[in-house]
Every structure is written in C-alpha cells, then in structure tokens.
Amino acid sequence: MTALLDETPMSLETAPDALAGFTIGVTATRRSEELAALLERRGARVVRAPAIRIVPLAEDAGLLAATRACLEAPVDDVVITTGVGFRGWMAAAEGWGLSADLNAHLANARLLARGPKARGAVRAAGLVDFWTPATESCEEVKEYLLAQDLHGRRIAVQLHGEPLDSFVAALRKAGAEVIEVPVYRWLPYRDTSPLRRLISQAITGSVDAVAFTSAPAVLAMLGAARADGLEDALLAAFGSRVVAACVGPVTAGPLTQRGVRAVQPERARLGALARILARHLPESGVTRLVAGGHELEIRGHAVVVDGELKPLPPAPMAVLKRLAERPGHVVNRADLRVVLPGGPSRDSAEHAVEMAITRLRRALGPSGIVETVVKRGYRLACGRDER
C-alpha cells in the first residue's frame, strides 16, 4: 500500500456511496462519532473499537511540579504539542491559582505550536504563537530548535500522552534546560473486547481498513494483538489486504517503524482522512469483472451487480472472492471449504459449500454468473477452463 495525498478534488471522494460495501474500523476515542459519521455518510459500515482513553493529570503532582518549575525563572521557549493538552494545562493552573503567573511567563516566551489546533489553543488563551512547522510534526520542531544555539535556554515541552524521550534528549544534549510538562497520558481503553474483536476482523479480512487518529491508538492496538500472540498476523494483514489509514505521519510512525506503509492525507484532518479512504478503497479494494454477461464490482462485504449494490453474508462473500481470484477457472469444493468462516467439519464441509453457493446465487440475482462444473467444482462464467 502506498501513501496518498488528497490535494485534487475528485467526485469519487464526495459520492454518497463511495465507501458502500466497505467495512472500516475506527479506533478513536475523542471525536470518534464525528469520524464515524464522515465515513457512514459515504456509505461505509463502521466498526467502533476505542483503543485508548485520556487520563487528565490536573490532580497529578507531576504536572503541578512542572508548572512550578516553569515559574521559577523565565522560560525561553514553550513547545505546545496539542490543543487539548494546552487547554488542560491552563485549566489546571487556574484551579491551582497559578493562572496569572503562568500566562505572564508564557507571554514572554516563544510559543512553538506543533499544529493548527495547538496554535488555536494558544490564541484562545490570549497568547501569541511564534512559529508552527509546516509538517505539524515534533521532528520539525526539534530540528528548528537544534538549528539555534540552545546553551542556557529554558525550554518547556508539553507532552501529548507519552514521553518524547528522543526529542527531550536532543535538546538537553544541545545545552538546553528542558522542563517536561505531562498534561495527560494515554491508557488502554477499559473494555478491550471491541479492540480485540477488531484485531480478529482485520486478520481474517472481515474489515477493509482501520482508521487511526493518534500514535498511541496504533500502539494500543499492536500491544493488544501482541498480548494475544497476534501482532505478526495483524502486521501481515496491514501489509496486504487491510488498509491502515492514519491521519498524519506522527500517527503512522509506529506502523512505519514496523514496515507498514499507511495511507494518509496530506493535511492531518478527520475530513481529509475520510476523503482519502473514499478515494483509496474503491481504487485498490475492488475487483471488477464481467461474468455471465453481468458487470460485477466486488467490494469488502458487498457486490455491485450491474450498478446495484447487494450486501452479502460472510460465507457467500468469501466464496465469491475465492472464485474471483481466477475468473473462469474451476475452484473445487475443498478450496472453497478452506475460505468459509468458522471452518466447517469434514462431514459438513460439502453441504456448507453448497449452501454458500446457493445463498450467493440468490443474493446475486441474475442467473448464470456462477456455474457448476459437475464433479469438479464451481467457477465464475468469465470464460472456459480447458485444463
């Protein structure tokens, strides 16, 4: 899978049925309803599986200690990584009666906002942002600072749910005094069963894509898979038939490090993420062919027959996809039995295949699309198998 950009408007992106027939997993906690609505509006079936939860640290001694450290002396630079984190910091300071002092210190510092949301939070607090990187990445912020003389500079770094060890270490090595400000942290979602089901669905190909909006969500999903001995299988699925869609390069980082190339929009926005999926899945996740004189478009959990979308149950869908791997060629019952969900026993295997074929023909509608080859198996009517 290759990374895509979403610069050029395309009618496919906004078509109301662009994602019809596809199933997409959503791992977000914050704004999950918004992302799900954007995908469902384009016809997708959405599986919700929150991966993480945010734990505010307003009562945490670490945040209070970091705030007091910032107030001990002038701060030269403040790195603001997230809007929600900065707002939480300001709210906590107000609760401690430190709001006026903190605002005064920040007003005299260079405020480096990682992206537009962080910049918006700075301005909403009545402060003036100094600089925002074009890539919206901590890496660019780090390079920006390291290009300057940092000896003796006091730099506060607002963390975004997890430590920024390499970022902080590089600044300290360059001579800066760094104050880490832990505004909130990520923890696994309390009920892990939806996420574990999504992992299983990704491995079996029951979902066509998984959308991620934060790196901690990616790490949480990989960690849950690892705990069940399924991490390699999950990575293999992301590297082949299941699209890993990330809102930006920071989110994609944990997958990139493991050799998975995620689909991502150029701008880190939920709308852009939905649009890139609406463009990518119909282009890469669809098999188009003509069988029995009818045009078929095979999608994740549905098939379009002569322009009409027809949802299919898992067993008939699995059989159709297996037949479509070699259109016109005979696939024997043993091969079809292997792809059936649940793995029927040997005694019931032949009956299960026949039932799946019957249900597939009934769902497709027009006759003649799936042919029976006596004593050999079944095929899509796309030509003749002469072997």
Side-chain angles (χ1 to χ4, degrees):
M1 291 179 286
T2 57
L4 299 177
L5 306 180
D6 72 332
E7 283 299 285
T8 305
M10 299 176 64
S11 60
L12 187 60
E13 296 174 6
T14 55
D17 60 348
L19 290 174
F22 293 108
T23 303
I24 301 173
V26 170
T27 59
T29 303
R30 284 195 313 115
R31 302 180 70 189
S32 62
E33 293 298 325
E34 180 181 349
L35 178 56
L38 288 169
L39 298 171
E40 290 170 344
R41 194 178 302 154
R42 292 169 168 83
R45 176 191 295 170
V46 173
V47 176
R48 293 174 176 82
I52 55 176
R53 56 191 171 97
I54 299 175
V55 181
L57 300 182
E59 304 300 325
D60 189 87
L63 177 57
L64 178 57
T67 303
R68 286 177 172 163
C70 289
L71 298 177
E72 288 175 357
V75 177
D76 298 296
D77 302 286
V78 181
V79 178
I80 300 149
T81 57
T82 63
V84 65
F86 186 75
R87 289 192 296 272
W89 188 16
M90 296 300 100
E94 184 175 3
W96 297 323
L98 300 175
S99 179
D101 289 343
L102 183 58
N103 270 270
H105 271 68
L106 297 183
N108 293 318
R110 298 192 310 175
L111 305 184
L112 311 179
R114 180 174 64 89
K117 293 180 183 178
R119 185 174 62 226
V122 168
R123 294 178 180 179
L127 298 166
V128 178
D129 52 290
F130 181 80
W131 178 79
T132 299
T135 60
E136 304 179 23
S137 71
C138 287
E139 185 66 23
E140 188 174 352
V141 176
K142 181 181 75 174
E143 295 304 320
Y144 175 82
L145 287 169
L146 292 177
Q148 306 166 41
D149 183 5
L150 298 184
H151 285 280
R153 293 187 73 84
R154 298 186 83 229
I155 303 175
V157 179
Q158 176 241 309
L159 306 180
H160 55 80
E162 58 184 0
L164 294 173
D165 293 335
S166 62
F167 184 99
V168 170
L171 300 187
R172 286 175 174 159
K173 185 176 180 181
E177 176 190 346
V178 181
I179 304 167
E180 298 176 77
V181 183
V183 179
Y184 56 83
R185 66 176 180 268
W186 302 105
L187 290 178
Y189 202 72
R190 289 185 178 87
D191 181 6
T192 62
S193 54
L195 184 62
R196 294 173 70 184
R197 282 196 297 271
L198 179 58
I199 291 168
S200 176
Q201 289 172 307
I203 291 171
T204 60
S206 300
V207 296
D208 304 291
V210 178
F212 297 100
T213 58
S214 70
V218 177
L219 291 170
M221 188 173 193
L222 294 176
R226 188 183 313 116
D228 290 338
L230 298 173
E231 185 177 16
D232 289 343
L234 179 61
L235 290 171
F238 282 143
S240 55
R241 62 184 177 274
V242 179
V243 175
C246 297
V247 75
V250 175
T251 299
L255 291 172
T256 302
Q257 293 169 9
R258 289 163 173 80
V260 175
R261 300 182 65 185
V263 169
Q264 53 187 285
E266 185 171 86
R267 300 182 71 241
R269 302 288 183 274
L270 293 187
L273 180 61
R275 287 195 298 273
I276 205 70
L277 280 166
R279 182 192 307 178
H280 184 72
L281 285 176
E283 288 181 351
S284 65
V286 170
T287 299
R288 296 177 176 85
L289 50 85
V290 176
H294 300 277
E295 294 183 357
L296 304 186
E297 187 177 284
I298 303 171
R299 297 188 167 204
H301 62 263
V303 57
V304 179
V305 181
D306 296 332
E308 182 181 354
L309 184 73
K310 297 176 179 289
L312 292 181
M317 191 78 244
V319 167
L320 177 60
K321 288 182 176 179
R322 179 66 184 89
L323 294 174
E325 289 177 5
R326 302 183 71 224
H329 292 251
V330 175
V331 181
N332 61 44
R333 289 181 175 83
D335 285 344
L336 294 177
R337 182 179 69 234
V338 171
V339 303
L340 288 178
S345 65
R346 184 178 300 274
D347 293 338
S348 63
E350 185 168 339
H351 175 69
V353 171
E354 290 175 354
M355 285 298 299
I357 290 289
T358 299
R359 295 173 70 193
L360 173 59
R361 285 172 167 157
R362 186 183 303 126
L364 291 176
S367 60
I369 295 176
V370 179
E371 295 181 329
T372 301
V373 181
V374 179
K375 296 184 179 180
R376 295 183 61 190
Y378 305 92
R379 67 180 169 201
L380 292 179
C382 304
R384 298 301 178 191
D385 183 4
E386 301 297 341
R387 297 182 305 162

